[in-house]
Amino acid sequence: MIKSPLSYFSFNELLGVFSVDQWLLLGAFFLFALYVVMNLYTDIQYRKTSNIQHLFSLIVGLSYFSYTHQGSFLVLVIMLIGLVFGLILERMNTSSPGDTKMFVVMSVWITSFAQENLILHALIFCTITYSFQLAFSWIAWVRKKGLVKAVAEQKEQLILLFTPGVSLGKEVIFENWPGAVNMCLGAIFTLLAGGLMM
């Protein structure tokens, strides 16, 4: 009689391979990846994301952050950094409120995986994601307007951005680009950069 391949597998040995912290890290990374994939799907398919999903993931992310960085109030600064970057992109009409929520939630998750330099990791994530968003919007703008007109309008938009009380133009550069793609790319590059920095 031929033995099943599962008969050679010992679940107890597998449990002994990892510590509790490593199991929690794997579980947290799985939940974070699930959050990103679900947002990618809903943002690409329906151009919206779930508020309940953002809230649930934020609560779980804050719990894991609290476990990995006991007593750290830096999470408030990290959430503020994500909020500021998201609001800047909203003001520039290249992003939606759902993207701002994702900025906040993913900033918490990204920094919970870091051992040190938490604010630096949050800034790296937001800057990389912001750069992807601007690059994609710039490409769409040049394709829509042409290079010369796009540069002239970009100069005008930058002046308006830093002028208090003046609203930016309401022209939407692209309606169908999902912000979750930028967040996913930003998270991947930040996690890779975090691995290189440690």
Side-chain angles (χ1 to χ4, degrees):
M1 182 172 178
I2 299 175
K3 283 188 173 184
S4 165
L6 292 177
S7 65
Y8 296 104
F9 177 73
S10 171
F11 192 68
N12 290 333
E13 288 179 13
L14 179 64
L15 287 177
V17 171
F18 294 119
S19 68
V20 173
D21 286 344
Q22 290 172 325
W23 278 111
L24 284 173
L25 176 64
L26 286 173
F29 193 76
F30 173 76
L31 289 174
F32 173 66
L34 184 66
Y35 170 74
V36 171
V37 168
M38 288 176 68
N39 275 311
L40 275 172
Y41 175 76
T42 57
D43 204 5
I44 291 170
Q45 187 73 22
Y46 306 111
R47 291 299 296 127
K48 60 182 179 179
T49 55
S50 167
N51 288 334
I52 301 294
Q53 187 176 332
H54 293 307
L55 179 64
F56 175 75
S57 188
L58 180 62
I59 291 169
V60 174
L62 286 171
S63 300
Y64 186 69
F65 185 93
S66 177
Y67 176 78
T68 56
H69 307 288
Q70 285 98 1
S72 176
F73 288 100
L74 283 176
V75 71
L76 298 176
V77 176
I78 289 162
M79 291 173 70
L80 182 64
I81 290 169
L83 180 65
V84 166
F85 272 87
L87 290 175
I88 288 171
L89 285 175
E90 274 187 55
R91 180 158 161 74
M92 294 172 68
N93 293 322
T94 61
S95 146
S96 67
D99 296 335
T100 302
K101 294 170 200 168
M102 281 186 73
F103 253 120
V104 173
V105 173
M106 290 181 73
S107 294
V108 170
W109 275 105
I110 293 285
T111 54
S112 69
F113 296 130
Q115 300 298 321
E116 53 191 27
N117 300 328
L118 304 182
I119 293 178
L120 178 63
H121 277 78
L123 286 171
I124 289 172
F125 165 68
C126 290
T127 304
I128 290 173
T129 304
Y130 183 77
S131 299
F132 276 119
Q133 183 75 21
L134 290 181
F136 292 141
S137 64
W138 176 253
I139 291 167
W141 208 344
V142 169
R143 289 184 65 195
K144 186 175 183 179
K145 303 280 186 166
L147 183 61
V148 174
K149 191 169 182 181
V151 169
E153 288 184 6
Q154 185 69 48
K155 183 180 174 185
E156 179 183 316
Q157 290 291 320
L158 283 174
I159 293 169
L160 292 176
L161 180 65
F162 295 109
T163 306
V166 177
S167 63
L168 293 175
K170 297 295 181 189
E171 181 180 4
V172 176
I173 300 303
F174 47 51
E175 296 179 11
N176 297 321
W177 184 257
V181 172
N182 304 327
M183 303 282 175
C184 181
L185 291 171
I188 290 170
F189 279 95
T190 305
L191 290 172
L192 290 174
L196 292 174
M197 287 191 297
M198 288 183 175

